[in-house]
Amino acid sequence: MADVVKQILAKSIQLADQITKAVDEAASFKQECSEIISKTEKLAGLLRRAERASSELYVRPTRRIIDETEQILDKALSLVLKCRANGIMKRVITIIPAAAFHKTSSQLENSIGDVSWLLRVSASTDGRDDEYLGLPPIASIDPILHLIWEQIAILYSGSLDNRSEATASLVSLARDNDRNGKLIIEEGGVAPLLKLVKEGTVEGQENAARAIGHLGLDPESVENMIQARVCTVFAKIFKEGPMKVQAVIAWAVSEFASQMPRFACPA
């Protein structure tokens, strides 16, 4: 997992270093470039923090946020490279609208916010001091997706109590509409939910089993959970789990069977 995250981050870190070098060589638009370099250096620092914490980062939002960051850094590099032209004539020929610098600066600021959020959301909940994470700038595209990311991140790194609360939030989101349920599956929510079914408190196990039941939206969704070994986990709970949890799992199995009549978990 850590190696995958480092590969995702590598290009963005390289681009940030190239921007720093290009700005040092800038012969024109120096004032405009100074703001670009200031924000690029701040972003580079966050990217290197992410690289050091690669084993802790939740891969799905990491990939989405860093892909966006990479595109922004690539555009910023193209912009500052134009500033290396020397001489008055080349400055005249190389026309760069002020709006281009303003837009790039704003995009870099958004990336700083996105990567900062990624570091916070991936950190252990014990180290957050119950801070409100808020939504990153990239969330303006799809706020619900980022709420789901936050809850799944807690499932990976939170205490048992926090994981139970996050699962209850996912249950609520899954109940709202089918798209939310599909997003929870697509964004890697099934594996940590099953882990909580196995090792959580009774309340956490109930919440996790309930969430999994709500994710049985259609045959494809049920098949995804079969591939995630849901039957193995459910069978173990049927044999030795608390009765309250067994009852929720029995309901979840009935939900799966309603979508896939041949579905059956050994009891």
Side-chain angles (χ1 to χ4, degrees), residues 19 23 29 31-43 69 71-77 79-80 96-114 137:
I19 291 170
V23 169
F29 304 101
Q31 183 176 350
E32 293 88 344
C33 286
S34 65
E35 185 175 358
I36 299 297
I37 189 59
S38 175
K39 292 187 176 179
T40 298
E41 287 176 345
K42 185 174 182 179
L43 178 56
T69 297
Q71 292 177 39
I72 290 169
L73 286 169
D74 191 50
K75 291 176 182 177
L77 178 60
L79 180 64
V80 298
I96 306 176
F101 287 101
H102 178 75
K103 180 179 180 180
T104 299
S105 178
S106 177
Q107 289 175 330
L108 287 169
E109 189 65 39
N110 286 342
S111 284
I112 289 168
D114 290 336

Side-chain angles (χ1 to χ4, degrees), residues 94-160:
T94 308
I95 299 173
I96 306 176
F101 287 101
H102 178 75
K103 180 179 180 180
T104 299
S105 178
S106 177
Q107 289 175 330
L108 287 169
E109 189 65 39
N110 286 342
S111 284
I112 289 168
D114 290 336
V115 179
S116 295
W117 177 87
L118 177 63
L119 289 167
R120 294 197 306 274
V121 81
S122 298
S124 168
T125 51
D126 293 336
R128 291 185 193 168
D129 298 324
D130 294 325
E131 65 173 316
Y132 173 62
L133 294 177
L135 293 176
I138 198 174
S140 61
I141 301 170
D142 190 347
I144 293 297
L145 173 60
H146 294 80
L147 287 173
I148 288 171
W149 278 349
E150 183 174 337
Q151 302 312 314
I152 294 176
I154 293 171
L155 287 180
Y156 278 111
S157 62
S159 66
L160 288 179

